Amino acid sequence: VYVEALRDTSQALVKLDTLHGGNDIFPLALRVFQQANQRLAAGAYVSGVERDLMAATGEAGEVAAWLADDADEQGASRQIIHEAILLSRQAGDREMELFELAHLAMQSAYLHRPAEALRISESVLDSGSLAPRVAALFDIRRGRALAQMGDQQRALAALDKAAAALAEGISTRDPRWTWWVTDAEITWHRGMVYADLGQWHASVPQF
C-alpha cells in the first residue's frame, strides 16, 4: 500500500509542478523522497516489497531532482539525482535509471559541464539496445555538449540523428516517460546549439 501511495504521490507532484512550478512544490517533493529513503535505509518495510519500494523511491528522487532543477536549486538537484540513480540501479529499474541519467546529462549541459554531459550521453548510447526515443534523447544531450565544446558539425549531426529516430514514430519499447521527447523539443535544442556556438542569426528562428 505504501509503495502504491508513493508512486501516486510522485505523479501528483508532477501535475502540481505543471500547474504551479517548482519553487513551491520542491520542498514537498524533497520531504516525500527523504521520508521514503529513510524508511528504505532503516529497513522499515515488509521484506517482500524491498525491490518495489527501492524502485518507487528512485522515481520519487527523480521527481524531486527535477523540481529542484525547475526551482534552480542546482546543488540539491545534483545530489538527489545521484541518490536516485543508485536506488534505481539497485532496484534493477533500468528505464528509470536512464531517465535519471538523461536528467544528469541535461543538468551538466545547463551548468556548462560539457565534457561530463558528453561522457554520460556516450556511455548510455554505447550500451546498445536502447528504445528509439531514449536514444534520441541522449543524442540531444550529446549534441548540446558538443556544441558547448565548439564542435558544430557533430552537434548538428547528433540532433539530426535524434530527429530521424522520432520520425519513425512511437515504438512499443519506448518508456512511458518519453512522451515529451518531440520534434518541438529537438527544435528548441537546435536553437540552443546555435546559441552555444554564438550563431544568434540561426538560433532565433528555431525559437
Side-chain angles (χ1 to χ4, degrees):
V1 176
Y2 178 78
V3 172
E4 292 177 5
L6 180 58
R7 290 193 183 279
D8 289 343
T9 299
S10 291
Q11 294 308 308
L13 288 167
V14 171
K15 292 177 182 178
L16 286 170
D17 175 51
T18 303
L19 292 172
H20 304 291
N23 288 344
D24 294 327
I25 310 304
F26 167 56
L28 177 58
L30 178 60
R31 190 168 72 204
V32 168
F33 172 61
Q34 288 176 333
Q35 288 176 345
N37 206 11
Q38 178 57 34
R39 177 176 291 213
L40 191 61
Y45 53 86
V46 178
S47 60
V49 304
E50 181 179 45
R51 183 182 176 281
D52 288 340
L53 176 58
M54 197 176 296
T57 304
E59 182 178 358
E62 161 56 30
V63 171
W66 166 251
L67 286 165
D69 181 82
D70 196 28
D72 203 24
E73 297 282 351
Q74 300 301 326
S77 183
R78 283 179 66 84
Q79 179 180 347
I80 295 166
I81 202 63
H82 278 98
E83 293 184 53
I85 290 169
L86 178 60
L87 288 166
S88 296
R89 186 172 296 165
Q90 289 177 329
D93 189 352
R94 179 59 173 167
E95 286 189 359
M96 185 53 58
E97 182 187 351
L98 288 170
F99 193 8
E100 292 154 354
L101 287 167
H103 174 106
L104 186 57
M106 171 198 72
Q107 190 179 40
S108 297
Y110 177 77
L111 295 173
H112 293 276
R113 301 164 63 102
E116 180 178 79
L118 186 61
R119 282 196 303 271
I120 295 168
S121 301
E122 290 189 335
S123 69
V124 173
L125 289 165
D126 290 345
S127 68
S129 67
L130 295 174
R133 297 172 85 81
V134 174
L137 179 57
F138 281 96
D139 273 318
I140 291 171
R141 301 287 186 253
R142 180 170 170 269
R144 290 294 308 281
L146 288 166
Q148 289 185 9
M149 297 172 81
D151 194 335
Q152 177 174 340
Q153 183 176 357
R154 292 174 66 205
L156 293 175
L159 293 190
D160 288 343
K161 186 178 177 182
L166 292 190
E168 296 179 5
I170 299 175
S171 162
T172 55
R173 297 174 54 221
D174 289 314
R176 56 185 172 81
W177 56 259
T178 58
W179 62 268
W180 52 270
V181 185
T182 63
D183 291 335
E185 185 78 10
I186 293 178
T187 300
W188 188 87
H189 282 286
R190 197 180 298 274
M192 289 299 295
V193 160
Y194 283 121
D196 287 334
L197 292 165
Q199 299 182 20
W200 298 104
H201 65 285
S203 176
V204 171
Q206 300 296 321
F207 293 125

